[in-house]
Amino acid sequence: MATWRQTLFLVLFSWLCYSTAFAVILRTTEKSVWANEFESIELTCLIESISTNNPRIEWKKIKNGVPSYVYFQNKISGDLEQRALLREPANLLILNASRSDTAHYRCEVAAIDDQKPFDEILISLAVRVKPVMPRCSVPEAVTVGSSPELRCIENEGFPQSLYQWFKNNEELPDDPKTSSKFYNSTYTMNTETGSLKFRSVKKDDAGEYHCQARNEAGWSKCSPQPMEVYDLDILGIFLKVLGGVVAFIFVILGICQIQKSGYCSCKDHRETNYKVPQHDNRMDYTNPDEGHFRHKSSFVI
């Protein structure tokens, strides 16, 4: 029985060695690769098993589901023509990586003399882009008790940037209640949108603020901008309102004075010149000094 088992083991082992020796088998050190923009990155395509001396090696770039040649007929082509080279045995080295290089890359090896003549490996490459200087919006002056909002945004970094606010070059904690220095502050900070909003700003919140955008590729910040916090000027507001009321009263009095002076009087369109009514008996009543009337014409009997 032992001899039969040994024989079976030898047969299986021999068959496995035979199958492996005449099969194309590939592997890679990493199927998901990150690279920083402007740096070099090597995509590994290692040939573990092959019997053909000169296999056919190809690299293809697949972006948005559309494949294009990167290495074909023993030369680099496409947008990597001047920025890549093939390294033994079949590794692809990308020089000066660009954000446009973010895609899937497929290594294909064919050996017509092997029992398994073809194998391929798919590698995902993402090129990280350092954030540019974010656009920061800080109000110059606010009043105590108001709810100002500071904003910070940038759209170039990849992956998407996270944001952090600083006051007088000191990093603000996400929750002010966790810091004794900022415990009395009422802000809420959103690290994903870059918003810093105060529920009720205080005099202690005055200072210089700047924002920093950060991702795996690096960070960038905007210039510090001052925010002043003033007390609400009740007296000033009262005086402004009072001045407006006084000015309104003077305008009304001026209009009334102009009307009294007759500059704005209007003639009564109902006024007409009086005419003495004419009567059918043709008697003239216009001369009161005569004391009697006279006939305008004789009567005809």
Side-chain angles (χ1 to χ4, degrees):
M1 181 65 68
T3 304
W4 178 83
R5 288 182 177 179
Q6 291 176 355
T7 303
L8 179 60
F9 174 77
L10 291 174
V11 170
L12 292 175
F13 181 76
S14 299
W15 178 83
L16 180 61
C17 291
Y18 175 82
S19 300
T20 303
F22 293 92
V24 178
I25 300 176
L26 305 179
R27 71 175 180 88
T28 182
T29 56
E30 194 170 0
K31 289 188 175 183
S32 182
V33 182
W34 287 87
N36 290 336
E37 192 176 28
F38 310 123
E39 295 181 357
S40 299
I41 183 65
E42 186 170 2
L43 310 182
T44 60
C45 182
L46 306 175
I47 303 176
E48 284 198 331
S49 173
I50 197 169
S51 60
T52 302
N53 293 329
N54 295 310
R56 181 173 57 109
I57 300 174
E58 293 180 358
W59 276 92
K60 293 178 182 177
K61 176 181 179 180
I62 305 171
K63 197 174 183 73
N64 299 324
V66 179
S68 60
Y69 281 110
V70 172
Y71 183 79
F72 180 66
Q73 295 182 345
N74 300 323
K75 65 178 182 179
I76 301 293
S77 60
D79 57 356
L80 289 174
E81 185 175 1
Q82 304 298 327
R83 298 189 296 112
L85 55 89
L86 192 73
R87 301 182 64 177
E88 294 293 339
N91 293 352
L92 181 67
L93 177 63
I94 299 177
L95 307 171
N96 192 21
S98 168
R99 65 188 68 189
S100 63
D101 297 333
T102 297
H104 288 88
Y105 292 81
R106 188 167 64 213
C107 174
E108 302 176 358
V109 176
I112 58 175
D113 295 335
D114 285 51
Q115 184 178 2
K116 179 179 176 290
F118 179 82
D119 197 9
E120 66 180 21
I121 286 182
L122 189 66
I123 301 174
S124 174
L125 171 63
V127 178
R128 296 180 291 207
V129 181
K130 178 183 175 181
V132 298
M133 185 176 71
R135 300 185 300 275
C136 299
S137 175
V138 179
E140 294 182 359
V142 296
T143 56
V144 172
S146 62
S147 302
E149 183 176 7
L150 286 63
R151 297 180 179 274
C152 178
I153 189 68
E154 76 86 29
N155 298 317
E156 296 295 326
F158 181 82
Q160 183 178 351
S161 296
L162 296 178
Y163 303 96
Q164 182 65 48
W165 279 95
F166 293 76
K167 176 188 174 185
N168 298 331
N169 291 322
E170 186 171 353
E171 183 175 347
L172 294 176
D174 293 346
D175 183 1
K177 301 305 179 184
T178 60
S179 169
S180 58
K181 189 169 186 178
F182 301 101
Y183 186 83
N184 292 326
S185 188
T186 61
Y187 68 79
T188 56
M189 181 165 51
N190 191 321
T191 58
E192 295 183 356
T193 64
S195 169
L196 180 68
K197 185 174 179 60
F198 291 87
R199 186 175 69 253
S200 178
V201 72
K202 297 178 173 58
K203 291 281 290 184
D204 292 341
D205 294 321
E208 285 192 335
Y209 288 83
H210 78 269
C211 169
Q212 183 183 95
R214 182 193 302 272
N215 65 12
E216 289 87 343
W219 59 272
S220 184
K221 68 176 183 178
C222 63
S223 300
Q225 301 178 38
M227 184 179 75
E228 299 292 338
V229 181
Y230 297 100
D231 289 320
L232 190 61
D233 188 3
I234 302 297
L235 179 60
I237 295 175
F238 173 76
L239 292 177
K240 288 181 180 180
V241 173
L242 180 61
V245 172
V246 172
F248 178 75
I249 293 174
F250 273 106
V251 170
I252 297 300
L253 292 176
I255 293 175
C256 294
Q257 184 63 34
I258 291 174
Q259 289 180 343
K260 288 181 179 180
S261 300
Y263 292 105
C264 294
S265 62
C266 300
K267 292 184 178 181
D268 188 356
H269 295 288
R270 294 175 300 178
E271 179 182 351
T272 57
N273 294 328
Y274 178 77
K275 293 183 180 181
V276 177
Q278 300 294 326
H279 298 275
D280 291 341
N281 56 9
R282 298 183 182 273
M283 293 183 180
D284 191 356
Y285 296 93
T286 59
N287 190 355
D289 296 332
E290 295 181 358
H292 62 278
F293 66 89
R294 59 188 178 89
H295 294 286
K296 291 292 183 179
S297 60
S298 58
F299 292 96
V300 178
I301 301 175

